[in-house]
Amino acid sequence: MRFLIQWLLRLVFRVNVTGDIARLRGGGQLVVANCDSTIDGVLLGLFLPGAPLVVTTPEMRESPWVRFLSLCVHCLSLDPSHPFTVKTVVNHVKAGGIAVIFPQGRVTSTGGAMKIFDSAAVIAARCGMQVTPVRVHGTLYSRFSRVSGQWPKFWFPRVTLAVQSLAPEMPIAAAEAKGSGKRRRQERSVDLQRIVQYMMSVPLCQRDLFGALVDAVSLHGRHIRIIEDARRQPETYGQLLKTTLALGRLLSRPCANGETVGVLLPNLSTSLAVILGLSAKGRVPAMLNYSAGTEALRSACVAACVKTVVTSRLFLERIKLEKLAEALPEVRLLYLEDLRNTLTWLDKIWLMGFALWLPRLAMPSVDPQRPAIVLFTSGSEDRPKGVVISHAALLANMAQLQAVIDFGPNDKYFSSLPLYHSFGLIACALMPLMTGTRLFLYISPLHFHSIPGLVYQSDATYIFGTSTFLAHYARNAHPYDFQSLRKVICGGEKLGKEVARLWRTRFGLRVFEGYGATECGPAMSLNTPLAFREGSVGCLLPGVEHRLIPVPGLVSGSVLHVRSPNLMTGYLHYDYPGVIDPPKSECGEGWYSTGDVVEIDEDGFMSIIGRTRRFAKIAGEMVSLDLMERIAAHASPDCEHAATLRQVEGYGESTVLFTTDAKLDRMMLVRAAREMQAPEIAISRHIVKLDQLPLTGNGKIDYVTLRLRAENYSV
């Protein structure tokens, strides 16, 4: 009977067990698995070696079909939170058997991250290092799933059981750990949560960006409306795929295989099709920052060896860069308006008769380790550097984010962040396309009065922005404009306390702050509903290794160095065009120094103290410019403030505080510093009043402009 059911399920679900299967053949292992459907327990019990004991969840016993199939599986029909389960499962593992538990204690209804039951963590702690994560993939899209709404559902999707090895840096607190019982349970739950999140963040297979798009189209369906932009014409997956294939074919003709091609386009669905089409054809799109000026554009093109730039005449007119061809004489401009005339009848036959139906065969396979995209640093410290990111790194960062926050086809992203920024491109544009999450792209984050109304009209559930942008949206919004939102994600700059308070009190929404870098994708850490601490940037994402290197002269904080799957391939420098400089730091090859001074508490929450270049040496002491800004924000929470350095001949370093508060004075800053218990040396001697602080195109304060003003400031 068992063999017959096993054969039948293998036939209909095409079950494939991958990974470190030998780890389970030795016995004495506790398997922790995600719970995506009511049939997961049966599949694990039948196809994992060793005929394991499966601790079923209450939902698994509701379906008569599952109860029938469970007759062939050794099940423990108890709720995982039941205290008697702990002893039974631990004894089974210690006797050399294999036991399967679902730490979430229930079948997911969102497809996203879930909490961990304390009793599951206690079981894992008592089993010690005999814990083996197994990811169940595919059943989330079956008729046995509890996820509703627009999620795709199939009777018999392909199922993969991926057996993973426990990462050595992720132990579970021992059963005999010190501290109160409640504290020990919390620590074990956090440890097990990290293991489950790490398990969910590991990609099942290595793919390129276009391959991930084709997988999403196949899974969710070509008829699904996936993207909408300012033109208010929703496009389906099928239409996006068609545009991607056509543009990829047309743009590949004037560009050689492997060539880096500049992309200078606004936030439109066509722009994403250009990026994906170039990538599918083995070309590397380089996202040019059109707000940086012609000199920065020229430097970026030199560093990345860009000889061709894809753009639009209408767009160049609107951003007043009509003379771009004169500013970049060595670069050829390809205008999208001209491409339609190059489409031949052979192209149409290829597209409609072949490529649209067999896209994997129509496009060449691309090595996932090859460069997928080139982004550029802001150039605030030197000329812009190209940041080369591989296909594998892009998709790894998306998987990391999927492991810690819940989003999917039932959600809708609203993003106005520019595509030349990693936050706007990877997290807010490419990731929703790869996960079946609907997307509304808006052309500019600076339209503060229009965006709240568009969020209301589009029924968006996620909105993204910098602290500055979120502050403007909140001040210009009707109290009901954000009624559909589930999550507000902040990145790119430090979240202001007043901004967080405004969103919480006016709209009842908590702002989740994250921290990232162009070199490591939009996020290295993120506050989530499962792990949130106000004032921090959350915990590091699963798979991100870190080291803290002390800074001489600083009493608190250390420089953060990271190594992770989402790390860049390397830099492209202006002085060495086209040569990729791999990441390295004092921690060794493959490590990246963020240059940020951070503190990480015992629970893993990280707080940003400041950047190493954002410290001034005043009277022999290291003073954080970020602290100066926080003092000013405490004194005047409704206005904006920015501190910068200036060199004074014969004196050394001095600081200048720029503010939009016309009434702010030194006495107000002194009172604020005392209330914050901050040293008075962190108060700038010079205060400059401005009507508005200059901003970069992605919403950050333009410190380059402020630094120039500070140098010209006369005391």
Side-chain angles (χ1 to χ4, degrees):
M1 181 70 171
R2 175 185 171 90
F3 175 79
L4 178 62
I5 291 179
Q6 189 180 44
W7 176 83
L8 180 63
L9 291 179
R10 187 185 296 276
L11 177 67
V12 296
F13 284 110
R14 292 149 290 167
V15 179
N16 183 28
V17 183
T18 64
D20 191 7
I21 305 174
R23 180 181 177 88
L24 295 177
R25 291 201 172 103
Q29 293 290 323
L30 175 70
V31 170
V32 294
N34 56 304
C35 194
D36 286 350
S37 74
T38 57
I39 203 173
D40 287 2
V42 172
L43 295 174
L44 290 166
L46 287 174
F47 292 99
L48 290 183
L53 167 69
V54 179
V55 182
T56 59
T57 66
E59 296 97 328
M60 291 179 178
R61 300 193 298 272
E62 292 178 3
S63 169
W65 284 104
V66 175
R67 284 202 302 271
F68 170 73
L69 295 174
S70 298
L71 296 175
C72 300
V73 178
H74 185 194
C75 293
L76 184 63
S77 299
L78 291 173
D79 190 325
S81 63
H82 197 286
F84 291 107
T85 307
V86 175
K87 187 174 181 180
T88 305
V89 175
V90 171
N91 289 341
H92 182 80
V93 172
K94 289 185 175 180
I98 297 174
V100 177
I101 63 171
F102 300 98
Q104 300 92 339
R106 50 160 288 187
V107 177
T108 179
S109 59
T110 65
M114 300 173 66
K115 78 170 208 177
I116 297 296
F117 273 82
D118 288 348
S119 58
V122 171
I123 294 173
R126 292 186 179 179
C127 292
M129 295 302 293
Q130 299 167 297
V131 175
T132 300
V134 175
R135 181 181 178 184
V136 182
H137 181 77
T139 58
L140 184 66
Y141 310 108
S142 73
R143 296 287 178 177
F144 296 96
S145 169
R146 291 300 175 90
V147 181
S148 60
Q150 299 193 34
W151 285 77
K153 290 292 185 73
F154 307 98
W155 279 110
F156 303 113
R158 183 184 298 274
V159 173
T160 301
L161 308 179
V163 183
Q164 301 177 6
S165 299
L166 186 64
E169 68 273 9
M170 291 189 295
I172 297 178
E176 64 275 6
K178 297 180 180 179
S180 66
K182 182 178 180 180
R183 178 64 181 174
R184 291 198 303 271
R185 287 193 300 272
Q186 289 175 344
E187 290 179 353
R188 293 165 186 160
S189 295
V190 170
D191 291 340
L192 188 56
Q193 185 80 63
R194 291 173 61 230
I195 289 174
V196 172
Q197 289 178 346
Y198 177 79
M199 171 186 76
M200 299 300 292
S201 71
V202 177
L204 291 177
C205 61
Q206 291 289 325
R207 298 173 296 176
D208 63 291
L209 201 57
F210 181 73
L213 175 67
V214 174
D215 287 345
V217 174
S218 302
L219 177 63
H220 299 281
R222 294 172 181 250
H223 64 285
I224 293 296
R225 292 183 174 182
I226 190 65
I227 187 170
E228 185 179 359
D229 56 31
R231 295 172 293 190
R232 306 307 302 269
Q233 296 176 348
E235 294 184 32
T236 65
Y237 261 129
Q239 291 170 316
L240 177 63
L241 180 62
K242 178 181 176 181
T243 307
T244 297
L245 290 166
L247 288 173
R249 183 176 177 90
L250 297 178
L251 291 172
S252 64
R253 288 172 180 160
C255 308
N257 187 31
E259 181 181 341
T260 302
V261 181
V263 177
L264 194 68
L265 292 169
N267 284 19
L268 294 173
S269 62
T270 307
S271 306
L272 288 176
V274 168
I275 296 167
L276 292 166
L278 287 170
S279 177
K281 276 293 192 177
R283 280 66 176 170
V284 183
M287 306 306 298
L288 299 176
N289 182 351
Y290 45 79
S291 69
T294 54
E295 180 56 33
L297 285 173
R298 193 185 72 82
S299 297
C301 290
V302 170
C305 293
V306 172
K307 302 300 181 186
T308 304
V309 171
V310 182
T311 186
S312 160
R313 288 192 179 88
L314 179 60
F315 175 61
L316 292 182
E317 290 175 8
R318 291 192 174 180
I319 63 172
K320 300 184 179 1
L321 277 178
E322 304 97 321
K323 298 183 179 179
L324 182 65
E326 299 176 11
L328 303 176
E330 66 280 6
V331 174
R332 172 182 50 181
L333 299 183
L334 292 180
Y335 297 103
L336 289 181
E337 292 90 342
D338 300 336
L339 282 181
R340 183 180 295 274
N341 297 329
T342 66
L343 190 69
T344 66
W345 63 272
L346 286 176
D347 294 328
K348 294 177 182 178
I349 292 175
W350 172 85
L351 178 63
M352 302 304 296
F354 171 57
L356 195 56
W357 310 110
L358 297 171
R360 298 181 197 276
L361 296 178
M363 292 297 187
S365 59
V366 179
D367 183 357
Q369 300 303 325
R370 283 190 57 186
I373 207 155
V374 176
L375 299 172
F376 294 92
T377 60
S378 61
S380 59
E381 299 166 0
D382 201 351
R383 293 180 184 272
K385 291 181 289 188
V387 178
V388 182
I389 306 174
S390 68
H391 294 267
L394 279 175
L395 296 175
N397 200 214
M398 297 178 196
Q400 289 170 324
L401 290 168
Q402 276 187 283
V404 298
I405 54 177
D406 60 315
F407 61 89
N410 292 337
D411 287 299
K412 189 172 188 177
Y413 279 18
F414 185 97
S415 176
S416 58
L417 296 175
L419 296 179
Y420 58 73
H421 190 265
S422 65
F423 191 12
L425 176 65
I426 301 172
C428 304
L430 292 178
M431 186 169 70
L433 296 183
M434 306 306 165
T435 57
T437 307
R438 292 165 296 159
L439 171 64
F440 189 103
L441 269 181
Y442 191 63
I443 52 176
S444 172
L446 300 175
H447 297 172
F448 306 135
H449 294 279
S450 303
I451 285 175
L454 288 170
V455 173
Y456 173 76
Q457 293 176 29
S458 62
D459 279 331
T461 59
Y462 273 73
I463 189 172
F464 302 82
T466 64
S467 180
T468 304
F469 289 157
L470 292 177
H472 285 294
Y473 301 156
R475 291 173 187 142
N476 288 280
H478 184 278
Y480 205 66
D481 280 341
F482 299 136
Q483 53 84 26
S484 63
L485 290 180
R486 291 202 305 120
K487 298 286 192 307
V488 183
I489 309 294
C490 176
E493 63 176 341
K494 178 69 178 173
L495 173 64
K497 288 184 179 180
E498 183 62 22
V499 178
R501 186 199 64 79
L502 183 60
W503 277 85
R504 185 173 59 251
T505 56
R506 192 171 189 206
F507 308 109
L509 292 167
R510 187 166 54 176
V511 180
F512 296 93
E513 184 180 5
Y515 162 75
T518 305
E519 294 83 352
C520 297
M524 286 183 279
S525 69
L526 181 65
N527 272 306
T528 68
L530 282 171
F532 180 89
R533 182 157 298 172
E534 191 172 0
S536 76
V537 292
C539 299
L540 290 168
L541 295 182
V544 178
E545 300 178 59
H546 76 280
R547 291 181 185 174
L548 299 178
I549 306 300
V551 180
L554 285 184
V555 178
S556 62
S558 303
V559 176
L560 177 67
H561 294 243
V562 295
R563 180 174 64 180
S564 61
N566 52 298
L567 185 60
M568 65 176 178
T569 304
Y571 281 123
L572 294 171
H573 298 280
Y574 179 85
D575 296 329
Y576 306 98
V579 179
I580 299 178
D581 180 21
K584 55 183 177 295
S585 75
E586 56 189 287
C587 294
E589 298 286 338
W591 286 85
Y592 165 65
S593 174
T594 64
D596 290 315
V597 180
V598 308
E599 285 184 342
I600 300 179
D601 65 20
E602 60 181 3
D603 295 322
F605 288 93
M606 186 166 66
S607 300
I608 309 297
I609 306 299
R611 285 193 63 80
T612 51
R613 292 180 179 268
R614 292 271 296 158
F615 280 84
K617 196 162 188 179
I618 309 295
E621 294 188 30
M622 299 292 284
V623 179
S624 170
L625 299 181
D626 294 329
L627 178 58
M628 290 185 181
E629 295 176 355
R630 290 198 295 272
I631 293 172
H634 186 81
S636 176
D638 295 326
C639 296
E640 298 174 344
H641 318 275
T644 187
L645 280 172
R646 66 187 294 261
Q647 294 293 328
V648 180
E649 188 175 354
Y651 177 78
E653 291 183 336
S654 181
T655 59
V656 177
L657 177 69
F658 293 90
T659 178
T660 59
D661 187 350
K663 298 180 180 179
L664 185 67
D665 58 24
R666 185 171 173 80
M667 289 306 300
M668 294 172 62
L669 295 174
V670 170
R671 285 195 297 270
R674 289 173 180 171
E675 291 173 4
M676 295 173 61
Q677 297 183 344
E680 290 191 20
I681 197 172
I683 299 174
S684 177
R685 294 178 59 191
H686 311 296
I687 303 174
V688 178
K689 314 292 176 62
L690 298 176
D691 293 333
Q692 186 176 357
L693 296 183
L695 300 178
T696 62
N698 54 21
K700 295 182 180 180
I701 294 174
D702 189 350
Y703 285 103
V704 177
T705 300
L706 291 179
R707 181 70 178 265
L708 293 174
R709 289 195 183 190
E711 293 294 347
N712 297 325
Y713 171 70
S714 58
V715 180

